[in-house]
Amino acid sequence: MIVKPYDNDEATKKTLVALMFDNISRKYDFLNHFLSLGIDKIWRKKAIKMLNEYKNANILDVATGTGDFAIAALKLNPKKVIGIDISKGMLKYGNIKIAKKNISNITLQYGDSENMDFDDKSFDVITVGFGVRNFENLEKGLKEFYRVLNDNGAAAILEFSKPRKFPVKQLYKFYFNNILPFLGKLFSKDKSAYTYLPKSVEAFPEGKEFIDILKKTGFKKIIEKRLAFGIASIYFAKKK
């Protein structure tokens, strides 16, 4: 089932996702950290730690948004970090952030994760935070990951998952389906963006199902690390 941010049968999911992020880009950083209580920053740090063997790497941050994961990746002392996104609004605010921090080795640019404008084996590492569930064609996007990674490369994919145990499962559902959409609408003025989030998480093939898709697209040595009682997961996948 394809979940879209807005009710529009004629427009593709990709088009509507880009529109949604353009609409909320000005408030995105504030809402992202506020609604997660800042835990998202800790999760990114954990994902970067799993990439410790990849120092001085060429890194691609997919669905980079305003560049938070790209900035976190600087802990690896990379040669360069390129962040791509389909939302020009998010890239605008990401570039403002990077300029304020005076960071020279991160480049944010427009790019489609399912049709990347990079040569085969261009990167040592791919990172993506809370982005793969927004892909129009998940398998196609992951095949692109595999294509642009070099033979010794790895991907670290941070994504929401669904808690399985009481009472976290019940509290999580209540927060995601009631509190988060209310606060998201209040601050972003876009109700659909924060009702789409829980729907997209519910539809995402997490856990073993996602690992099977990674395997199908060619990845090996896949590890899933569940975070915060299963609210999110890091999937660490090597090309070989």
Side-chain angles (χ1 to χ4, degrees):
M1 180 180 70
I2 297 176
V3 177
K4 297 180 180 181
Y6 306 106
D7 291 327
N8 187 325
D9 293 334
E10 296 179 4
T12 64
K13 176 177 179 177
K14 190 178 298 183
T15 299
L16 295 176
V17 165
L19 175 62
M20 177 190 73
F21 281 111
D22 284 346
N23 289 342
I24 65 173
S25 58
R26 189 170 67 88
K27 294 284 187 178
Y28 179 81
D29 276 346
F30 164 74
L31 277 168
N32 197 29
H33 303 318
F34 173 69
L35 294 173
S36 71
L37 305 177
I39 298 172
D40 62 302
K41 295 179 182 179
I42 297 171
W43 293 342
R44 287 188 191 90
K45 287 179 180 178
K46 287 181 181 293
I48 294 301
K49 281 186 178 179
M50 295 180 75
L51 293 165
N52 262 339
E53 65 183 280
Y54 294 92
K55 302 286 188 181
N56 305 119
N58 292 316
I59 299 176
L60 175 65
D61 186 40
V62 177
T64 193
T66 60
D68 278 345
F69 217 159
I71 293 169
L74 293 177
K75 289 285 186 182
L76 297 171
N77 298 313
K79 292 177 184 175
K80 66 177 179 181
V81 183
I82 296 177
I84 61 169
D85 204 284
I86 57 172
S87 167
K88 292 179 180 178
M90 295 288 276
L91 292 169
K92 171 187 172 182
Y93 287 102
N95 278 315
I96 290 171
K97 184 194 301 182
I98 286 169
K100 284 182 177 178
K101 291 178 178 289
N102 198 29
I103 298 170
S104 60
N105 59 339
I106 294 179
T107 302
L108 302 187
Q109 63 193 49
Y110 179 85
D112 182 347
S113 56
E114 297 166 42
N115 297 283
M116 294 189 201
D117 192 22
F118 300 114
D119 293 335
D120 295 357
K121 303 180 182 181
S122 296
F123 298 94
D124 306 300
V125 169
I126 288 177
T127 58
V128 53
F130 310 110
V132 291
R133 76 179 188 285
N134 297 320
F135 287 5
E136 188 165 86
N137 186 323
L138 178 59
E139 191 172 322
K140 187 178 180 183
L142 295 176
K143 283 180 179 177
E144 279 290 88
F145 285 19
Y146 190 86
R147 180 183 69 80
V148 302
L149 276 174
N150 72 34
D151 289 339
N152 297 313
I157 301 167
L158 174 59
E159 190 53 86
F160 287 113
S161 49
K162 297 180 278 290
R164 299 163 187 169
K165 294 183 179 180
F166 176 87
V168 179
K169 178 180 178 180
Q170 287 72 19
L171 290 170
Y172 170 86
K173 280 194 170 185
F174 179 78
Y175 178 75
F176 250 47
N177 292 317
N178 297 281
I179 306 299
L180 188 144
F182 171 77
L183 292 174
K185 179 187 176 184
L186 182 67
F187 289 106
S188 75
K189 310 302 179 187
D190 189 323
K191 179 182 178 181
S192 295
Y194 290 90
T195 53
Y196 163 76
L197 196 156
K199 289 177 183 177
S200 66
V201 172
E202 186 62 35
F204 181 70
E206 50 120 2
K208 184 182 181 301
E209 194 177 350
F210 182 61
I211 290 171
D212 287 343
I213 297 172
L214 284 166
K215 289 177 179 177
K216 185 179 179 183
T217 55
F219 283 96
K220 309 288 191 298
K221 299 178 183 177
I222 302 161
I223 298 169
E224 179 191 8
K225 183 179 179 67
R226 291 178 73 83
L227 307 168
F229 305 102
I231 291 173
S233 293
I234 301 166
Y235 301 91
F236 176 76
K238 288 192 173 185
K239 188 167 180 177
K240 287 190 175 180

